[in-house]
Amino acid sequence: EVRLVQSGAEVNKPGESLRISCQGSGYSFTSYWITWVRQMPGKGLEWMGNIDPSDSYTKYSPSFQGHVTISVDKSISTVYLQWSGLKASDTALYYCARHMDSSSWYAALDNWGQGTLVTVSS
Amino acid sequence: EIVLTQSPGTLSLSPGERATLSCRASQSISISYLAWYQQKRGQAPRLLIYGTSSRAAGIPDRFSGSGSGTDFTLTISRLEPEDCAVYFCQQYGNSPLTFGGGTKVEIK
């Protein structure tokens, strides 16, 4: 069974750094791209960026480029989403999701993590 | 960036009725790269349809997708109470990947 398990909810202050994680299991981890999606309270889905775990190649949405960093640790089948200076507007639910087709960026998202709620408040 | 506009915003129907959800793109999309997701309250999204019309694993055949160019449709042929959710379309043929704003389906 394919599973993506995300780290738990976080509460942070503006300006702080944060890293959340997404661990894959049940499949060949390095063969499938992973995407991060933001969902602000009561709103829709926004693509943030994605990573090829085989070589760490990343692609970012212009809306998030420079504000977040996506990385991977293949040894533990885990992808990360990181901020170096949180803002209150980063308060949202963050999902990781696997691309459906092996080694393809051009694929639908067939397996999703359970989501990580990030709250940024002073 | 390809903008996806979904309509209607909310659809309120009775069990057994047919639901037709629209997704319109700001520019033409290959049929290979259009997906639909279902998100129930408090849950992660679930892939329903990919490549415009292919059902994902385990998705009932009352869900179907169609369309081409800039106009795509998700049809739920006979609504069931468990279909109460928000439905999002997504294009994945161009960067940035984009999602529509969603259609909320309510069951009367």
Side-chain angles (χ1 to χ4, degrees):
Chain A
E1 179 195 7
V2 173
R3 291 192 72 198
L4 296 176
V5 178
Q6 298 185 229
S7 49
E10 301 275 358
V11 179
N12 289 81
K13 290 181 168 51
E16 290 185 339
S17 297
L18 175 66
R19 188 177 75 170
I20 63 175
S21 66
C22 168
Q23 184 173 43
S25 63
Y27 70 99
S28 176
F29 178 74
T30 55
S31 295
Y32 295 81
W33 284 71
I34 294 287
T35 269
W36 285 98
V37 173
R38 183 175 79 174
Q39 188 167 39
M40 299 181 79
K43 300 298 183 183
L45 305 173
E46 300 174 90
W47 177 68
M48 302 177 71
N50 46 27
I51 189 165
D52 181 346
S54 68
D55 61 5
S56 300
Y57 179 80
T58 53
K59 200 162 177 66
Y60 293 95
S61 164
S63 299
F64 294 91
Q65 179 92 46
H67 186 53
V68 297
T69 301
I70 298 171
S71 60
V72 63
D73 185 340
K74 292 188 288 187
S75 69
I76 55 171
S77 302
T78 298
V79 172
Y80 300 99
L81 178 65
Q82 182 173 327
W83 295 260
S84 58
L86 284 163
K87 304 175 183 177
S89 56
D90 293 318
T91 294
L93 190 55
Y94 294 88
Y95 292 103
C96 62
R98 192 190 79 157
H99 287 221
M100 182 175 185
D101 297 327
S102 172
S103 302
S104 178
W105 190 89
Y106 300 96
L109 307 173
D110 68 342
N111 284 273
W112 293 66
Q114 82 276 21
T116 295
L117 180 63
V118 173
T119 303
V120 184
S121 173
S122 54
Chain B
E1 172 176 324
I2 296 178
V3 177
L4 299 178
T5 303
Q6 292 189 240
S7 61
T10 302
L11 203 49
S12 185
L13 296 167
S14 299
E17 289 193 298
R18 181 185 191 90
T20 303
L21 286 66
S22 172
C23 175
R24 179 161 289 177
S26 60
Q27 60 190 80
S28 185
I29 299 172
S30 165
I31 62 169
S32 300
Y33 303 133
L34 194 286
W36 290 91
Y37 300 86
Q38 176 193 65
Q39 186 178 34
K40 296 182 178 181
R41 183 181 291 275
Q43 296 185 17
R46 175 175 72 147
L47 177 66
L48 294 177
I49 301 286
Y50 63 95
T52 295
S53 60
S54 296
R55 273 187 300 277
I59 301 303
D61 61 7
R62 66 177 183 275
F63 291 92
S64 63
S66 63
S68 64
T70 60
D71 290 302
F72 297 86
T73 299
L74 174 70
T75 302
I76 311 174
S77 59
R78 298 171 307 279
L79 273 171
E80 298 197 3
E82 62 261 32
D83 298 333
C84 178
V86 180
Y87 294 81
F88 296 96
C89 59
Q90 182 218 7
Q91 67 81 22
Y92 49 93
N94 291 80
S95 183
L97 303 181
T98 49
F99 292 90
T103 290
K104 183 177 183 180
V105 173
E106 298 178 339
I107 309 296
K108 291 179 182 176

